[in-house]
């Protein structure tokens, strides 16, 4: 399979995921009394949108340099897209029941699963990256696995406080955003 074909398929699936996510938002009627609830729904949607966007950006920043697409990479990409496609479900649950720890646990499980599959896919694909040094690849792999650990830690932390898991959910995109922009800028100069 050509890389361009896999890229086009991935881009299309990500676009559908984001579209489905916004369609799943069930906002109550907006009143002065529930304005914060409505804004919380939108904030949770925005958080999930940013998570998907940064994941897609990171995917594209390394995948465009891969010369060889193996069967393993294709299957990991499909698993990655499947896990990514589940994000609208916990997004809806978290929006509707923010103060219920189970909705945080569900969100944490899905984001952990996305991070695991993404990390495995990156590790497999990194063997075919010639534009990055081995040290850069090792650093990115390390950061990916740290993301897995942090997302996974949101699950037990939800039992202690939903605000601790929320902090992790907000912190993770922030950690990835700055380096993602750096990688994009570096790749523009290549």
């Amino acid at each position: 399979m050509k890389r361009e074909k896999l890229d086009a398929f991935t881009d299309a699936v990500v676009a559908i995921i984001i579209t489905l996510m916004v369609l799943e938002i069930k906002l109550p009627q907006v009143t002065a009394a529930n304005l914060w609830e409505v804004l919380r729904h939108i904030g949770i949607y925005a958080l999930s949108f940013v998570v998907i966007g940064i994941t897609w950006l990171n995917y594209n920043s390394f995948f465009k340099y891969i010369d060889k697409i193996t069967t393993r990479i294709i299957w990991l990409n499909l698993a990655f897209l499947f896990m990514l496609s589940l994000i609208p479900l916990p997004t809806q649950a978290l929006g509707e029941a923010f103060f219920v720890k189970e909705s945080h646990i569900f969100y944490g499980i899905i984001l952990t699963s996305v991070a695991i599959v993404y990390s495995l896919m990156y590790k497999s694909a990194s063997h075919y990256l010639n534009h990055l040094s081995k040290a850069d690849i090792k650093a990115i792999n390390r950061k990916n696995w740290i993301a897995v650990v942090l997302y996974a830690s949101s699950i037990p932390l939800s039992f202690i406080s939903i605000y601790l898991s929320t902090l992790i959910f907000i912190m993770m995109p922030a950690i990835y955003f700055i380096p993602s922009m750096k990688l994009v800028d570096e790749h523009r100069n290549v």
Side-chain angles (χ1 to χ4, degrees):
M1 172 181 286
K2 292 185 178 182
R3 180 188 47 82
E4 293 81 10
K5 192 172 186 178
L6 187 64
D7 285 346
F9 176 72
T10 300
D11 290 349
V13 172
V14 169
I16 291 168
I17 291 166
I18 288 174
T19 302
L20 289 175
M21 190 167 59
V22 75
L23 293 175
E24 287 296 316
I25 295 176
K26 309 251 188 308
L27 292 178
Q29 182 178 0
V30 180
T31 64
N34 71 353
L35 185 58
W36 285 112
E37 181 182 345
V38 171
L39 292 174
R40 188 177 62 242
H41 274 273
I42 293 169
I44 292 165
Y45 165 76
L47 176 64
S48 293
F49 186 94
V50 168
V51 166
I52 292 169
I54 289 172
T55 305
W56 174 80
L57 177 64
N58 286 331
Y59 169 90
N60 281 307
S61 72
F62 82 85
F63 242 83
K64 68 181 175 183
Y65 293 104
I66 295 174
D67 297 328
K68 183 176 180 179
I69 302 296
T70 64
T71 303
R72 177 176 171 79
I73 292 171
I74 292 169
W75 280 108
L76 285 168
N77 189 69
L78 288 171
F80 163 69
L81 291 173
F82 173 75
M83 296 314 302
L84 208 61
S85 74
L86 295 177
I87 289 178
L89 299 174
T91 299
Q92 179 185 5
L94 198 58
E96 291 176 2
F98 180 79
F99 296 103
V100 176
K101 72 176 178 262
E102 287 79 8
S103 61
H104 287 259
I105 292 166
F106 185 31
Y107 198 76
I109 289 169
I110 297 302
L111 292 183
T112 301
S113 300
V114 169
I116 288 169
V117 176
Y118 179 87
S119 297
L120 291 171
M121 183 175 59
Y122 184 87
K123 180 132 177 71
S124 284
S126 68
H127 298 295
Y128 304 102
L129 290 173
N130 298 324
H131 75 290
L132 291 176
S133 69
K134 289 187 187 282
D136 287 339
I137 291 171
K138 187 176 180 180
I140 293 169
N141 274 321
R142 186 179 326 111
K143 185 171 75 169
N144 288 341
W145 289 106
I146 289 170
V148 170
V149 170
L150 288 173
Y151 274 135
S153 69
S154 74
I155 299 164
L157 287 174
S158 296
F159 288 99
I160 298 167
S161 170
I162 61 168
Y163 298 107
L164 292 172
S165 61
T166 301
L167 179 65
I168 290 173
F169 299 150
I170 293 170
M171 183 179 66
M172 289 309 300
I175 288 171
Y176 268 86
F177 182 73
I178 294 168
S180 296
M181 293 308 298
K182 181 182 172 202
L183 277 176
V184 167
D185 290 340
E186 286 174 4
H187 296 308
R188 283 186 191 141
N189 298 326
V190 174

